[in-house]
Amino acid sequence: MLKDEQVLEVRGTPELRVLNGREYWYDRYRLGTDTIARFIGPNNDDIRQRIERINAIRAEQKERQKQCGRLMRILRAEGLLPVDRGTGSLLAAMARVGVFRLGGVLVGTNAFRLYEGELGIRLTTDDLAQTMDVDIASFERLSVAIDDQVDENLADVFADLKFEAIPSQEGRTFWRWKQKQDGSLVEFLSPSFDEQERVKNLPALGVSALSLHHLNYLIADPIKSAVLYRNGLLVNVPRPERFAIHKLIVADRRRGSDVALKQRKDQQQAALLIDVLAQDRPYDLKEALEDARDRGPKWRNRIENTLGRMPVTAEILAGL
């Protein structure tokens, strides 16, 4: 239902374009004397079928919104974990201006918590190691190629929510914002394909992002997930099998004074997801593991180093 709501943002004629060998849908319409091309998303069966049904979707809007509200009440009553009001309002603001439409992917613990609904599992506060920080990742190449941008300046959106920009070491580039009252952070990240992990620009989002190794593996081919906030929010999150394997890699990369605590959180989240996926989606998990291992000895070493501290999880993966 939330996916149907996204299609209602189409104002003109859907148009299919090819960018770097991949197909994407755009909403092409006139605004005064200008022709606007607004990015919709990649060409897949899901989006294509909804575009074909756009008139029926418009006719069903009121009833669908009522149903969304009813389903959200049921999910809350059944114990699905909602986001706190601060996180919900931040995600809602970013969704409204187009962050997720333009390829932004929610990562970190706030993405992990959404696997409760995706995988049909129960998470506890120990599983979540609750954080109010929001991490958004996006590909620099996609951000440059799509030739579209957020509807409002994100710096202004964050200022309205009482977030202050934190200058980076590279000068007047901003990839982190801090909330004045509770200290929560919103951070933008992007995959690094270079030796150095430096700050890059994301033109579509109008912000900079810290580039990180291995992040390209995590956010490739993300899925949609519903956030339990108001009548529901639709965001992009990594595939759970990639999230699990990526956590094994990240756990071995940890450095700093609080490394033990963060490693334990990484390992707990990886162990929980791997246990569930090995039972319910073993082929997806095996494919994700093989993909990561095939990327080179450094990737394999990081995975094996972490699994050396997780004998039960290592045994599960060995049995796939």
Side-chain angles (χ1 to χ4, degrees):
M1 290 180 182
L2 292 174
K3 289 178 181 179
D4 280 352
E5 285 293 307
Q6 280 197 322
V7 174
L8 292 183
E9 297 175 1
V10 174
R11 306 178 192 179
T13 303
E15 178 182 79
L16 194 60
R17 295 184 179 183
V18 178
L19 302 174
N20 297 326
R22 300 188 67 179
E23 294 181 329
Y24 298 93
W25 284 101
Y26 282 78
D27 175 18
R28 190 170 181 271
Y29 61 95
R30 293 191 68 83
L31 187 63
T33 59
D34 298 327
T35 299
I36 307 298
R38 189 169 185 268
F39 184 76
I40 299 174
N43 182 28
N44 54 43
D45 291 342
D46 193 53
I47 290 180
R48 188 166 52 250
Q49 290 169 9
R50 283 183 165 80
I51 287 175
E52 291 171 355
R53 292 180 48 247
I54 191 166
N55 290 331
I57 289 172
R58 283 177 176 145
E60 300 163 356
Q61 183 177 15
K62 288 186 178 179
E63 181 60 28
R64 184 173 53 255
Q65 289 175 345
K66 185 187 299 182
Q67 282 288 85
C68 277
R70 184 182 68 84
L71 290 171
M72 284 293 164
R73 290 193 294 273
I74 291 173
L75 292 171
R76 290 189 183 95
E78 291 297 326
L80 189 70
L81 293 172
V83 295
D84 61 87
R85 188 170 67 176
T87 301
S89 63
L90 178 60
L91 292 175
M94 287 195 283
R96 174 176 55 81
V97 301
V99 168
F100 301 110
R101 173 176 64 85
L102 295 169
V105 181
L106 181 66
V107 297
T109 296
N110 274 304
F112 172 76
R113 68 184 299 149
L114 297 180
Y115 297 137
E116 186 177 52
E118 170 69 16
L119 299 176
I121 58 178
R122 293 283 189 183
L123 297 178
T124 67
T125 53
D126 289 339
D127 296 324
L128 290 172
Q130 182 63 18
T131 176
M132 295 178 67
D133 296 346
V134 172
D135 301 321
I136 304 294
S138 183
F139 283 101
E140 178 191 25
R141 294 172 186 173
L142 176 62
S143 184
V144 171
I146 59 178
D147 192 27
D148 195 2
Q149 58 186 7
V150 288
D151 300 331
E152 297 177 30
N153 189 306
L154 279 176
D156 295 336
V157 172
F158 296 147
D160 290 341
L161 295 171
K162 311 301 181 187
F163 279 80
E164 293 182 333
I166 302 175
S168 67
Q169 295 179 348
E170 286 74 11
R172 297 189 61 81
T173 56
F174 303 100
W175 60 275
R176 293 193 301 169
W177 279 260
K178 186 174 184 179
Q179 225 278 345
K180 297 178 183 179
Q181 297 174 341
D182 58 25
S184 58
L185 294 172
V186 55
E187 302 181 340
F188 289 87
L189 309 169
S190 186
S192 174
F193 299 96
D194 306 318
E195 185 175 345
Q196 297 296 322
E197 295 177 323
R198 56 187 179 83
V199 175
K200 298 180 177 181
N201 290 324
L202 297 177
L205 304 186
V207 297
S208 297
L210 177 65
S211 66
L212 297 174
H213 297 145
H214 310 104
L215 194 63
N216 58 314
Y217 168 84
L218 175 66
I219 65 174
D221 196 21
I223 61 174
K224 300 286 187 182
S225 186
V227 177
L228 197 60
Y229 179 72
R230 294 183 178 175
N231 265 20
L233 287 173
L234 199 62
V235 300
N236 305 317
V237 296
R239 293 187 172 277
E241 62 273 13
R242 287 183 176 268
F243 189 99
I245 302 304
H246 184 259
K247 281 296 179 183
L248 297 178
I249 296 169
V250 170
D252 190 57
R253 289 197 61 193
R254 295 292 188 188
R255 299 291 183 272
S257 57
D258 56 350
V259 62
L261 179 62
K262 291 184 176 181
Q263 275 186 340
R264 186 160 60 249
K265 183 191 73 170
D266 292 334
Q267 292 170 195
Q268 286 175 343
Q269 293 181 357
L272 187 151
L273 290 178
I274 288 170
D275 183 45
V276 172
L277 290 165
Q279 299 175 60
D280 297 344
R281 306 182 186 182
Y283 298 107
D284 291 347
L285 180 59
K286 183 178 181 179
E287 183 179 8
L289 177 62
E290 291 176 348
D291 182 358
R293 283 175 168 165
D294 288 345
R295 297 190 182 216
K298 291 183 178 179
W299 288 65
R300 291 193 294 272
N301 289 340
R302 291 203 182 279
I303 292 171
E304 296 310 317
N305 287 344
T306 300
L307 289 177
R309 301 187 292 271
M310 303 171 63
V312 175
T313 300
E315 185 176 354
I316 291 173
L317 290 176
L320 292 176

